[in-house]
Amino acid sequence: MGLELIVMTSLVLLWMAQTTSARLNVSLAKAGCQALCGNISIPYPFGIGANCYINDMYSMECRSDKLYLTGIKLEVLNMSVERWPIWVQVNNPILSQSCPGGNGSADVVHGSTSVNLTGSPFTFSSSLNVFISVGCNNHARVTNLVDGTTAQCITICDGSPDRDNGCFGINCCQTTPPGNFSYDLRVFNVNLSRIETYNQSGGVPAPLIPCMYAFLVDKDWFRYNLTDPFALRGMDHVPAKLRWNLYNMESSQLGIPKYRGGYCGKVWYRSSSDIYGAYCSCSPGYEGNPYLPYGCRGTYILGSSLLYFKVHL
């Protein structure tokens, strides 16, 4: 008599995805190109040296372990290419300031500053940055010269030494920069002027600090790294985030094959115009540089099998 014993085993899905490109040890640079400047990764389409960047506006240079965008001459602090929103964090100059002159003379005012990134693929993001003014009796304004929209805020005086980074009108104010997805800040003007506010006794309170400042700053950096906005009075630069786009390029021009890890497509930047660009992203579970062929890497193990053993007794 034969007895058939069937033993069935099943290997179930095992999924494991690395969470950072550092763990995967994947270079973000084009093959044969410099991958790091100091501790900052240099992702294609940016690069250092001939044939390492997609066009001249993405050319970079490394000086004393500091990374710079050649075209707009700003120092780069960090970069993002893996998925939307894609950005470059730069060391952005304080845009406008006004300080009292010596010996009772008139204010030394640098109260109006214009910024023009026309011809570059970069804009100051209105969603990733915040417009800040620090000081006493400030009226700060930033105007988007593309669509004419303006954002402004006013500070009033308080001589109290107690302060934090709340920045809601007492010695410091903040507002969202003008702009949107279609009209981020590419060409804009910043103006800073004094106003008079009065305390309960009817006089103008003495300012806690004599100077006024206005600037665009990375809102996450401002929120999590700056406990006292008045510390900015000793700084010439603050971090800010630029969006970047591959304008007027088709995704086919990037030479990215279809594969599981990433994808490229076409994005329209203004629905009422013909401004478009190529955009790439890593798929969920993959990390790396989607702008390189097979640049998004992940570790997926999928196994499923049935093993049958027949034993005849």
Side-chain angles (χ1 to χ4, degrees):
M1 185 173 106
L3 175 64
E4 185 177 85
L5 174 64
I6 300 178
V7 179
M8 181 180 71
T9 65
S10 175
L11 297 179
V12 298
L13 173 67
L14 173 63
W15 175 85
M16 180 174 65
Q18 301 286 5
T19 58
T20 65
S21 54
R23 290 180 185 174
L24 291 168
N25 195 28
V26 175
S27 173
L28 303 181
K30 190 175 180 181
C33 298
Q34 183 172 338
L36 291 170
C37 176
N39 61 354
I40 303 175
S41 295
I42 305 169
Y44 186 80
F46 300 89
I48 295 176
N51 301 315
C52 288
Y53 45 82
I54 198 165
N55 63 49
D56 288 345
M57 288 307 304
Y58 294 85
S59 171
M60 310 189 85
E61 56 183 332
C62 186
R63 303 196 304 265
S64 302
D65 285 339
K66 291 186 177 181
L67 187 62
Y68 295 87
L69 281 165
T70 307
I72 59 176
K73 305 184 187 307
L74 288 176
E75 181 188 355
V76 173
L77 304 175
N78 203 352
M79 308 178 74
S80 166
V81 298
E82 291 174 348
R83 54 185 57 89
W84 191 268
I86 47 181
W87 47 262
V88 176
Q89 187 189 54
V90 297
N91 210 15
N92 188 44
I94 300 293
L95 294 172
S96 188
Q97 64 178 0
S98 174
C99 296
N103 300 319
S105 61
D107 284 358
V108 177
V109 178
H110 303 285
S112 180
T113 304
S114 295
V115 176
N116 192 335
L117 296 178
T118 299
S120 82
F122 305 106
T123 60
F124 282 89
S125 170
S126 58
S127 60
L128 301 178
N129 297 301
V130 64
F131 181 60
I132 300 286
S133 181
V134 175
C136 178
N137 291 344
N138 298 4
H139 182 197
R141 302 172 300 283
V142 54
T143 301
N144 188 336
L145 299 182
V146 175
D147 64 357
T149 55
T150 296
Q152 57 188 325
C153 66
I154 292 174
T155 66
I156 60 176
C157 298
D158 183 358
S160 170
D162 297 327
R163 55 188 185 266
D164 55 32
N165 69 341
C167 198
F168 293 113
I170 307 298
N171 296 316
C172 179
C173 67
Q174 64 177 308
T175 187
T176 302
N180 52 43
F181 177 74
S182 298
Y183 294 102
D184 268 346
L185 291 174
R186 183 186 301 277
V187 186
F188 62 96
N189 182 265
V190 174
N191 288 281
L192 184 62
S193 59
R194 292 192 184 276
I195 60 171
E196 286 191 353
T197 58
Y198 298 89
N199 59 21
Q200 292 180 350
S201 63
V204 178
L208 192 62
I209 60 173
C211 294
M212 306 184 299
Y213 305 91
F215 48 89
L216 287 168
V217 61
D218 180 336
K219 69 178 183 181
D220 288 335
W221 180 87
F222 181 77
R223 179 179 179 184
Y224 295 113
N225 295 282
L226 197 68
T227 57
D228 179 2
F230 283 5
L232 291 160
R233 59 184 166 176
M235 301 173 64
D236 295 323
H237 295 74
V238 291
K241 281 181 178 173
L242 305 177
R243 289 193 190 275
W244 60 271
N245 298 293
L246 296 177
Y247 288 111
N248 300 322
M249 291 191 66
E250 297 284 353
S251 57
S252 58
Q253 294 176 256
L254 301 176
I256 308 297
K258 291 184 178 180
Y259 69 112
R260 177 184 292 179
Y263 56 90
C264 294
K266 186 175 184 177
V267 59
W268 294 90
Y269 294 105
R270 295 180 195 166
S271 58
S272 60
S273 70
D274 58 355
I275 298 178
Y276 64 91
Y279 166 69
C280 300
S281 180
C282 288
S283 302
Y286 288 79
E287 304 289 340
N289 188 345
Y291 293 90
L292 292 172
Y294 301 104
C296 299
R297 308 285 182 85
T299 302
Y300 287 88
I301 301 174
L302 177 61
S304 181
S305 64
L306 295 175
L307 303 180
Y308 294 88
F309 297 93
K310 293 183 179 181
V311 180
H312 296 274
L313 299 177

